[in-house]
Amino acid sequence: MKKRNVILSGLFLVGVVFVGSSLYASEDIESYIKGNHIKAIHAMGIEMKAQNLENMATITDENGKKWIFNEFTNRTALIETMREKYEEDVAGPFISIHDEIMQQYAKPGDSIPTILLDETLKEGYFAFIRQDGEALSFKIKYDNGSWEYKLEK
């Protein structure tokens, strides 16, 4: 009888693990990614009301300042807007600064980086969330032909 209970308990546990992992695998990926972007925005010190986080969307912080949101993997429209808005090459160095930050700080398992720029598209933040939940936030600013960054963590 004990052996049968142990086997049934084992089968039940395997079933719970299987069902749990199936639920995890079917988790809404978009919600997970959006959650990481919201965590990154908070890590930048920006508190915002629930707003639409689509690429090139303008979000407003609690102080009324407007920011242009972009996901790192979909930054093409942002780069094109920079090229249209400025005669000087703001976009080329913008791409380079992301590469520099990622080369130095990114690790496997990090979230897709979040980009927030002010309305001039010359100042803002670049941030991502580590797999363990730690947030890395970089203040970025364009000045005299190049972008500079500072880790704010």
PDB file of all heavy atoms in Angstrom, residues 45-60:
ATOM      1  N   GLY A  45      14.312  55.897 -13.424  1.00  0.00           N
ATOM      2  CA  GLY A  45      13.814  56.929 -12.527  1.00  0.00           C
ATOM      3  C   GLY A  45      12.581  57.627 -13.055  1.00  0.00           C
ATOM      4  O   GLY A  45      12.228  58.707 -12.581  1.00  0.00           O
ATOM      5  N   ILE A  46      11.932  57.014 -14.035  1.00  0.00           N
ATOM      6  CA  ILE A  46      10.755  57.625 -14.642  1.00  0.00           C
ATOM      7  C   ILE A  46       9.517  56.859 -14.203  1.00  0.00           C
ATOM      8  O   ILE A  46       9.394  55.666 -14.450  1.00  0.00           O
ATOM      9  CB  ILE A  46      10.882  57.635 -16.181  1.00  0.00           C
ATOM     10  CG1 ILE A  46      12.080  58.493 -16.590  1.00  0.00           C
ATOM     11  CG2 ILE A  46       9.596  58.113 -16.836  1.00  0.00           C
ATOM     12  CD1 ILE A  46      12.435  58.415 -18.036  1.00  0.00           C
ATOM     13  N   GLU A  47       8.650  57.569 -13.537  1.00  0.00           N
ATOM     14  CA  GLU A  47       7.370  56.991 -13.156  1.00  0.00           C
ATOM     15  C   GLU A  47       6.360  57.429 -14.197  1.00  0.00           C
ATOM     16  O   GLU A  47       6.272  58.602 -14.537  1.00  0.00           O
ATOM     17  CB  GLU A  47       6.943  57.474 -11.765  1.00  0.00           C
ATOM     18  CG  GLU A  47       7.864  57.008 -10.654  1.00  0.00           C
ATOM     19  CD  GLU A  47       7.941  55.498 -10.511  1.00  0.00           C
ATOM     20  OE1 GLU A  47       6.919  54.817 -10.698  1.00  0.00           O
ATOM     21  OE2 GLU A  47       9.034  55.002 -10.209  1.00  0.00           O
ATOM     22  N   MET A  48       5.636  56.476 -14.713  1.00  0.00           N
ATOM     23  CA  MET A  48       4.661  56.803 -15.745  1.00  0.00           C
ATOM     24  C   MET A  48       3.358  56.110 -15.435  1.00  0.00           C
ATOM     25  O   MET A  48       3.320  55.107 -14.735  1.00  0.00           O
ATOM     26  CB  MET A  48       5.161  56.367 -17.116  1.00  0.00           C
ATOM     27  CG  MET A  48       5.499  54.889 -17.206  1.00  0.00           C
ATOM     28  SD  MET A  48       5.983  54.426 -18.846  1.00  0.00           S
ATOM     29  CE  MET A  48       4.742  53.205 -19.211  1.00  0.00           C
ATOM     30  N   LYS A  49       2.307  56.692 -15.949  1.00  0.00           N
ATOM     31  CA  LYS A  49       1.004  56.061 -15.848  1.00  0.00           C
ATOM     32  C   LYS A  49       0.955  54.954 -16.890  1.00  0.00           C
ATOM     33  O   LYS A  49       1.741  54.946 -17.838  1.00  0.00           O
ATOM     34  CB  LYS A  49      -0.091  57.086 -16.105  1.00  0.00           C
ATOM     35  CG  LYS A  49      -0.104  58.209 -15.103  1.00  0.00           C
ATOM     36  CD  LYS A  49      -1.095  59.262 -15.485  1.00  0.00           C
ATOM     37  CE  LYS A  49      -0.997  60.426 -14.512  1.00  0.00           C
ATOM     38  NZ  LYS A  49      -1.717  61.587 -14.962  1.00  0.00           N
ATOM     39  N   ALA A  50       0.037  54.009 -16.723  1.00  0.00           N
ATOM     40  CA  ALA A  50      -0.111  52.940 -17.715  1.00  0.00           C
ATOM     41  C   ALA A  50      -0.391  53.562 -19.071  1.00  0.00           C
ATOM     42  O   ALA A  50      -1.370  54.280 -19.243  1.00  0.00           O
ATOM     43  CB  ALA A  50      -1.230  51.987 -17.309  1.00  0.00           C
ATOM     44  N   GLN A  51       0.510  53.328 -19.991  1.00  0.00           N
ATOM     45  CA  GLN A  51       0.382  53.890 -21.325  1.00  0.00           C
ATOM     46  C   GLN A  51       0.749  52.833 -22.344  1.00  0.00           C
ATOM     47  O   GLN A  51       1.353  51.822 -22.021  1.00  0.00           O
ATOM     48  CB  GLN A  51       1.293  55.111 -21.490  1.00  0.00           C
ATOM     49  CG  GLN A  51       0.937  56.239 -20.552  1.00  0.00           C
ATOM     50  CD  GLN A  51       1.915  57.411 -20.665  1.00  0.00           C
ATOM     51  OE1 GLN A  51       2.616  57.560 -21.626  1.00  0.00           O
ATOM     52  NE2 GLN A  51       1.938  58.228 -19.630  1.00  0.00           N
ATOM     53  N   ASN A  52       0.406  53.101 -23.570  1.00  0.00           N
ATOM     54  CA  ASN A  52       0.705  52.190 -24.664  1.00  0.00           C
ATOM     55  C   ASN A  52       2.208  52.204 -24.940  1.00  0.00           C
ATOM     56  O   ASN A  52       2.778  53.253 -25.195  1.00  0.00           O
ATOM     57  CB  ASN A  52      -0.074  52.624 -25.902  1.00  0.00           C
ATOM     58  CG  ASN A  52      -0.025  51.606 -26.997  1.00  0.00           C
ATOM     59  OD1 ASN A  52       0.585  50.550 -26.858  1.00  0.00           O
ATOM     60  ND2 ASN A  52      -0.642  51.922 -28.108  1.00  0.00           N
ATOM     61  N   LEU A  53       2.847  51.056 -24.901  1.00  0.00           N
ATOM     62  CA  LEU A  53       4.285  50.977 -25.136  1.00  0.00           C
ATOM     63  C   LEU A  53       4.583  50.419 -26.521  1.00  0.00           C
ATOM     64  O   LEU A  53       5.244  49.403 -26.666  1.00  0.00           O
ATOM     65  CB  LEU A  53       4.965  50.109 -24.076  1.00  0.00           C
ATOM     66  CG  LEU A  53       5.207  50.761 -22.739  1.00  0.00           C
ATOM     67  CD1 LEU A  53       5.935  49.805 -21.800  1.00  0.00           C
ATOM     68  CD2 LEU A  53       5.985  52.050 -22.864  1.00  0.00           C
ATOM     69  N   GLU A  54       4.097  51.094 -27.530  1.00  0.00           N
ATOM     70  CA  GLU A  54       4.439  50.714 -28.892  1.00  0.00           C
ATOM     71  C   GLU A  54       5.632  51.547 -29.327  1.00  0.00           C
ATOM     72  O   GLU A  54       5.839  52.661 -28.840  1.00  0.00           O
ATOM     73  CB  GLU A  54       3.258  50.977 -29.828  1.00  0.00           C
ATOM     74  CG  GLU A  54       2.079  50.057 -29.574  1.00  0.00           C
ATOM     75  CD  GLU A  54       0.938  50.313 -30.541  1.00  0.00           C
ATOM     76  OE1 GLU A  54       1.158  50.978 -31.566  1.00  0.00           O
ATOM     77  OE2 GLU A  54      -0.156  49.845 -30.257  1.00  0.00           O
ATOM     78  N   ASN A  55       6.403  51.023 -30.275  1.00  0.00           N
ATOM     79  CA  ASN A  55       7.548  51.767 -30.771  1.00  0.00           C
ATOM     80  C   ASN A  55       7.125  53.112 -31.317  1.00  0.00           C
ATOM     81  O   ASN A  55       6.100  53.237 -31.973  1.00  0.00           O
ATOM     82  CB  ASN A  55       8.288  50.963 -31.846  1.00  0.00           C
ATOM     83  CG  ASN A  55       9.077  49.846 -31.212  1.00  0.00           C
ATOM     84  OD1 ASN A  55       9.771  50.043 -30.230  1.00  0.00           O
ATOM     85  ND2 ASN A  55       8.960  48.669 -31.758  1.00  0.00           N
ATOM     86  N   MET A  56       7.915  54.108 -31.006  1.00  0.00           N
ATOM     87  CA  MET A  56       7.709  55.501 -31.402  1.00  0.00           C
ATOM     88  C   MET A  56       6.519  56.149 -30.698  1.00  0.00           C
ATOM     89  O   MET A  56       6.118  57.245 -31.059  1.00  0.00           O
ATOM     90  CB  MET A  56       7.583  55.651 -32.928  1.00  0.00           C
ATOM     91  CG  MET A  56       8.832  55.241 -33.685  1.00  0.00           C
ATOM     92  SD  MET A  56      10.315  56.178 -33.214  1.00  0.00           S
ATOM     93  CE  MET A  56       9.935  57.804 -33.848  1.00  0.00           C
ATOM     94  N   ALA A  57       5.999  55.493 -29.669  1.00  0.00           N
ATOM     95  CA  ALA A  57       4.916  56.093 -28.889  1.00  0.00           C
ATOM     96  C   ALA A  57       5.504  57.137 -27.949  1.00  0.00           C
ATOM     97  O   ALA A  57       6.611  56.982 -27.436  1.00  0.00           O
ATOM     98  CB  ALA A  57       4.182  55.024 -28.085  1.00  0.00           C
ATOM     99  N   THR A  58       4.748  58.202 -27.737  1.00  0.00           N
ATOM    100  CA  THR A  58       5.155  59.220 -26.773  1.00  0.00           C
ATOM    101  C   THR A  58       4.527  58.860 -25.439  1.00  0.00           C
ATOM    102  O   THR A  58       3.321  58.649 -25.349  1.00  0.00           O
ATOM    103  CB  THR A  58       4.676  60.614 -27.224  1.00  0.00           C
ATOM    104  OG1 THR A  58       5.253  60.900 -28.498  1.00  0.00           O
ATOM    105  CG2 THR A  58       5.085  61.678 -26.228  1.00  0.00           C
ATOM    106  N   ILE A  59       5.363  58.759 -24.422  1.00  0.00           N
ATOM    107  CA  ILE A  59       4.852  58.517 -23.074  1.00  0.00           C
ATOM    108  C   ILE A  59       5.149  59.759 -22.247  1.00  0.00           C
ATOM    109  O   ILE A  59       6.085  60.506 -22.526  1.00  0.00           O
ATOM    110  CB  ILE A  59       5.454  57.251 -22.429  1.00  0.00           C
ATOM    111  CG1 ILE A  59       6.961  57.358 -22.281  1.00  0.00           C
ATOM    112  CG2 ILE A  59       5.083  56.016 -23.214  1.00  0.00           C
ATOM    113  CD1 ILE A  59       7.566  56.241 -21.463  1.00  0.00           C
ATOM    114  N   THR A  60       4.338  59.974 -21.259  1.00  0.00           N
ATOM    115  CA  THR A  60       4.486  61.146 -20.404  1.00  0.00           C
ATOM    116  C   THR A  60       4.765  60.686 -18.993  1.00  0.00           C
ATOM    117  O   THR A  60       4.062  59.824 -18.459  1.00  0.00           O
ATOM    118  CB  THR A  60       3.191  61.987 -20.436  1.00  0.00           C
ATOM    119  OG1 THR A  60       2.878  62.282 -21.802  1.00  0.00           O
ATOM    120  CG2 THR A  60       3.352  63.278 -19.666  1.00  0.00           C
TER     121      THR A  60
END
